[in-house]
Amino acid sequence: MLRLTDITLPLEHPESALAEATLARLKLPASDLRALTVAKRSYDARKRGHIVLTYSVDVDVANEAAVLKRAAAQAHRIKVTPTPDTTYRYIAAPVPGQALRPVVVGMGPCGLFAGLVLAQMGLRPIILERGKQVRERTVDTFGLWRKKVLNPESNVQFGEGGAGTFSDGKLYSQISDRRHLGRKVLTEFVAAGAPEEILYVSKPHIGTFRLVSMVEHMRATIESLGGVIRFSHRVDDLAVETGADGVRQVRGVVLADGSTLRADHVVMALGHSARDTFAMLHGRGVYLEAKPFSIGFRIEHPQSIIDAARFGPQAGHPILGAADYKLVHHCRNGRSVYSFCMCPGGTVVAAASEPGRVVTNGMSQYSRNERNANAAIVVGITPEDFAEHDASGSPLAGIALQRYWEEVAFRLGGETYDAPGQKVGDFLAGRASSELGAVTPSYTPGVRLGDLSQALPGYAVDAIREALPAFGKQIKGFDMADALLTGVETRTSSPLRITRGDDGQSLNTRGLFPAGEGAGYAGGILSAGVDGIRAAEWVAEAMIAAGSARAI
């Protein structure tokens, strides 16, 4: 099988055009083409009104060696390589009498894939999730959105599927992935009910409602393979034993009901909002370090404005769908402002997990057909910025900053879980908003208009005020006066890292495998899933070394 890249076709083209272009590029008769599969499809929208599609295809042709030799001689014109082998290969199997099961803490994308791969290797993991099953969790989440009732253990952040369940469901990442672990993630999603197009479109997404049924399907798969999943089981402590040589070793986890679950291999697949668990790990002496993250607001525009700016007269084409964007601006004060977690045709959602605090996030369904486009417009901050809220130098200092501004947002919103909001025109002019314009906010419970200059540090407000007009030069209408800002966005990534070594284990606690977004090693569904697979492999390697699994 050969992979041919950079085949460009018009947005509107007959089905036969791809095979014809492939044969023309390879200079082969139709009889030599045995099979063709689309490996990737993207679009190039740089020329307004002349959007084209770009394909990579895998082809089975007669006399592959001759085709490769001819392509090598014309490398400037023909880009052909052998199709990469993306088959996933398991590295371990169980041994008779396996004493202790590996434990996975958290069932977001990272924990889900760590548990799945451990189960597929026959190692029978126990997965502990502090929140509820996904459908029960959905009821609780809507309780905040519709009734202003927050369940701190079952919400957008906590529960089966993790924070990614209530998101746009983006399935692309910029991580280095030489082993094609991302393909394993996507393949498992398709097996769980995702549309097959996620295997080849350049920016695949699923959407919230589809993710719910997929997570349930994957849960059933794990259980059918001998895995055990326990919901409403919060881990409150870590059992750590220090040997005579001073080496710290995990010996289990202590649950909220006071019971202890023995384990020598624990994957900590926490989300970025597991603040109490971070504090517990710090108290137990697990090595943590503060890391940069970003804070800002959500911005909403009519999706039609973004579509027209990005796609011109071809806006609305079914292959293109709702337009997205990615923006960055480097400010005079040294800060960088960028768009994050852009949700075409989506909604801004209440994402709080602690009482008395307001947090925003974005979400889309698979159709992406809601009226507004939204994205976070955020400013990068570093541990040096945390000192104003926690001068101790603690790795938890970023959490103190997050909590402070989430509490400010709660007060500005009227202390009812409404979020503070402001029109862009008023924000840029430095005056409070008193009435909405052309953009109706999608955030529920509701938005209370006012002055968002009080909702973030001064340096962040100044940076966003400088960036919005710059973004308006890149996307016409982006800085329109009636666009709406909603605050605050504080959970862009984990404020700390649970640092690990090359073997995937904590730097100072053997048997503890930090992984995923909360540990500071992923950002988004795909990269978290990939990190979960890697964590499962590190656990398997440690179990092989201990004699509780065998290599295959």
Side-chain angles (χ1 to χ4, degrees), residues 20 67 334 376 384 393 407 451 481 486 546:
E20 293 168 357
V67 172
E384 288 72 25
E407 290 167 5
D451 181 5
T486 306

Side-chain angles (χ1 to χ4, degrees), residues 139-379:
V139 173
D140 292 334
T141 299
F142 275 84
L144 174 61
W145 296 352
R146 295 174 177 173
K147 300 178 182 179
K148 304 185 180 184
V149 177
L150 172 67
N151 183 335
E153 296 296 330
S154 182
N155 46 63
V156 166
Q157 309 294 348
F158 299 141
E160 184 180 22
T165 303
F166 297 97
S167 71
D168 183 53
K170 296 179 183 66
L171 298 176
Y172 49 93
S173 174
Q174 295 180 331
I175 60 171
S176 175
D177 188 20
R178 295 180 180 178
R179 294 181 53 213
H180 307 287
L181 298 182
R183 185 72 175 187
K184 165 72 169 170
V185 172
L186 297 179
T187 299
E188 293 293 350
F189 277 151
V190 170
E196 288 196 14
E197 70 179 32
I198 70 171
L199 297 174
Y200 64 84
V201 296
S202 62
K203 294 182 178 180
H205 76 283
I206 301 175
T208 290
F209 288 161
R210 291 199 177 199
L211 277 165
V212 168
S213 60
M214 288 163 52
V215 166
E216 290 178 320
H217 186 284
M218 295 178 73
R219 180 214 309 164
T221 299
I222 292 169
E223 292 175 330
S224 72
L225 295 170
V228 173
I229 302 169
R230 300 176 181 174
F231 294 102
S232 299
H233 277 60
R234 190 181 70 237
V235 171
D236 277 0
D237 204 353
L238 199 64
V240 179
E241 179 181 279
T242 303
D245 57 359
V247 175
R248 293 158 48 92
Q249 170 67 48
V250 164
R251 293 302 184 197
V253 296
V254 180
L255 303 176
D257 65 3
S259 62
T260 298
L261 179 63
R262 276 281 289 117
D264 290 339
H265 304 91
V266 176
V267 177
M268 274 289 172
L270 308 174
H272 56 38
S273 296
R275 294 165 171 174
D276 50 358
T277 311
F278 294 150
M280 177 273 289
L281 293 173
H282 183 51
R284 276 291 171 195
V286 175
Y287 186 83
L288 313 176
E289 58 184 332
K291 62 173 277 295
F293 61 100
S294 300
I295 56 176
F297 305 127
R298 279 274 152 183
I299 190 168
E300 290 189 89
H301 303 87
Q303 181 63 48
S304 58
I305 295 288
I306 306 301
D307 290 345
R310 294 277 284 113
F311 296 152
Q314 291 169 298
H317 193 284
I319 287 181
L320 299 176
D324 63 2
Y325 56 79
K326 187 175 182 180
L327 301 167
V328 63
H329 177 71
H330 302 290
C331 300
R332 291 187 296 271
N333 67 3
R335 304 281 174 173
S336 291
V337 180
Y338 62 97
S339 60
F340 172 79
C341 186
M342 194 271 157
C343 297
T347 55
V348 179
V349 299
S353 57
E354 296 176 326
R357 299 185 174 104
V358 162
V359 184
T360 62
N361 198 6
M363 183 181 86
S364 295
Q365 301 301 341
Y366 177 72
S367 61
R368 289 178 165 175
N369 63 359
E370 298 293 335
R371 179 184 303 175
N372 292 350
N374 79 78
I377 300 299
V378 294
V379 182

